[in-house]
Amino acid sequence: FPSAQLFEGAQRNELVIRVQPNECIYLKMMNKTPGLSTDLTLSDLDLLYKDKFPGTYKPEPYERLILDAIMGDHNIFVRDDELLAAWKILTPVLHTLKEQGIEPKKYSFGSEGPPEAVQAAKDCGWIRPGNTKK
């Protein structure tokens, strides 16, 4: 689908929620500058945990996971019916990949993904607004 941009060449708004590593939530948003002009400027709303809460202890992911298990908190664990449903969906896909000799595309950790996936997104009209890494 063609993009429907009100202002030609404006960057797209972007909401990023990163769980691991370097937990953060930030929003990049195009705003009209104050006054009578129609100029746009990029604004950031940024909550980077390590900057917002300096000097506080933040447990490693597995520390939190083990503590939750010890305390009997099952909120972050997958229920058995969820796991069975996931395998019910994925098992036929895995069998098809094996039968047809299809190898998953490899890509570097932290990258956008395999070049074929990036191209497929571009073919569908998705435009990467800029670097989402902080």
Side-chain angles (χ1 to χ4, degrees), residues 2-61:
S3 64
Q5 287 188 326
L6 183 60
F7 297 95
E8 192 65 36
Q11 291 186 23
R12 294 183 180 195
N13 298 332
E14 179 179 4
L15 174 64
V16 175
I17 301 172
R18 186 171 48 228
V19 178
Q20 293 288 333
N22 300 323
E23 300 87 342
C24 76
I25 301 170
Y26 67 93
L27 175 66
K28 290 182 179 180
M29 190 168 66
M30 296 303 295
N31 294 307
K32 181 188 160 306
T33 55
L36 300 175
S37 75
T38 57
D39 295 334
L40 296 176
T41 186
L42 181 65
S43 296
D44 292 323
L45 176 63
D46 189 349
L47 172 57
L48 189 60
Y49 279 48
K50 68 178 183 171
D51 293 341
K52 180 68 176 177
F53 306 106
T56 58
Y57 177 73
K58 293 175 232 30
E60 293 295 319

Side-chain angles (χ1 to χ4, degrees), residues 15-134:
L15 174 64
V16 175
I17 301 172
R18 186 171 48 228
V19 178
Q20 293 288 333
N22 300 323
E23 300 87 342
C24 76
I25 301 170
Y26 67 93
L27 175 66
K28 290 182 179 180
M29 190 168 66
M30 296 303 295
N31 294 307
K32 181 188 160 306
T33 55
L36 300 175
S37 75
T38 57
D39 295 334
L40 296 176
T41 186
L42 181 65
S43 296
D44 292 323
L45 176 63
D46 189 349
L47 172 57
L48 189 60
Y49 279 48
K50 68 178 183 171
D51 293 341
K52 180 68 176 177
F53 306 106
T56 58
Y57 177 73
K58 293 175 232 30
E60 293 295 319
Y62 283 107
E63 288 180 79
R64 185 63 206 216
L65 181 71
I66 292 168
L67 178 62
D68 286 346
I70 291 169
M71 301 299 289
D73 184 353
H74 301 281
N75 289 324
I76 60 171
F77 295 94
V78 177
R79 292 189 331 250
D80 60 343
D81 59 331
E82 291 177 283
L83 186 59
L84 289 172
W87 280 113
K88 187 176 181 179
I89 293 167
L90 290 176
T91 299
V93 173
L94 294 172
H95 286 303
T96 301
L97 292 174
K98 185 176 182 179
E99 290 165 6
Q100 296 181 8
I102 299 171
E103 288 287 323
K105 302 292 181 185
K106 296 182 179 180
Y107 57 95
S108 301
F109 174 78
S111 71
E112 294 181 81
E116 296 86 351
V118 174
Q119 187 58 50
K122 288 178 184 175
D123 293 345
C124 292
W126 185 78
I127 301 167
R128 185 172 173 85
N131 189 353
T132 59
K133 295 179 182 172
K134 279 208 170 231

